[in-house]
């Protein structure tokens, strides 16, 4: 993908993380995609494992908002720094992290999410 395509893809994909639409989010992932984040450091593979996780995660956080801060194209996809606005009770927590994303035929084949989850418990 060229940089403008990456930016467009990233914007559409990050928007799918908001609003509790797990099927829409899953549509960005290859059927055999590998996904890891601090909650699943061993990772999850394939739609059958990802869908239940996305359903639970998005239902718990329907109003969070993700945006790319900086995107770095790579040979297989991109790496990007992100900012997340996460409503927790009456406050909004702002968290920062980084993802590694590999793509094939316009679908995510590998997505590794890196951030310090200890910040998520702050209110």
């Amino acid at each position: 993908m060229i940089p403008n395509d990456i930016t467009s893809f990233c914007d559409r994909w990050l928007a799918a993380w908001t609003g509790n639409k797990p099927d829409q989010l899953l549509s960005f992932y290859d059927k055999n995609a590998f996904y890891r984040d601090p909650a699943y450091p061993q990772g999850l593979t394939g739609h059958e494992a990802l869908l239940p996780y996305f359903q639970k995660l998005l239902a718990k956080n329907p109003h969070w908002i993700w945006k790319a801060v900086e995107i770095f194209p790579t040979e297989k996809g991109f790496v990007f720094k992100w900012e997340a606005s996460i409503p927790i009770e009456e406050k909004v927590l702002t968290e920062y992290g980084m993802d590694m994303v590999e793509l094939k035929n316009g679908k995510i084949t590998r997505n590794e999410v890196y951030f310090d989850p200890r910040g998520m418990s702050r209110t």
Side-chain angles (χ1 to χ4, degrees), residues 83-100:
E83 176 185 294
S85 299
I86 307 164
I88 300 176
E89 297 175 9
E90 292 90 37
K91 298 180 182 183
V92 176
L93 174 66
T94 301
E95 282 295 325
Y96 299 91
M98 183 173 273
D99 275 33
M100 179 190 78

Side-chain angles (χ1 to χ4, degrees), residues 33-117:
F34 174 81
Y35 174 90
R36 77 164 302 281
D37 69 18
Y40 280 93
Q42 75 281 6
L44 299 166
T45 301
H47 280 196
E48 288 183 9
L50 288 172
L51 184 58
Y53 180 58
F54 289 165
Q55 287 170 328
K56 183 177 178 182
L57 187 61
L58 297 183
K60 194 174 189 180
N61 300 285
H63 302 294
W64 60 7
I65 299 172
W66 300 81
K67 72 176 187 175
V69 174
E70 221 172 336
I71 301 172
F72 306 94
T74 65
E75 186 176 318
K76 293 182 179 182
F78 58 97
V79 172
F80 74 106
K81 293 191 253 179
W82 50 257
E83 176 185 294
S85 299
I86 307 164
I88 300 176
E89 297 175 9
E90 292 90 37
K91 298 180 182 183
V92 176
L93 174 66
T94 301
E95 282 295 325
Y96 299 91
M98 183 173 273
D99 275 33
M100 179 190 78
V101 179
E102 293 180 3
L103 301 162
K104 185 174 182 181
N105 300 322
K107 298 283 187 177
I108 297 169
T109 57
R110 184 176 196 89
N111 179 200
E112 296 188 28
V113 183
Y114 297 96
F115 67 97
D116 183 354

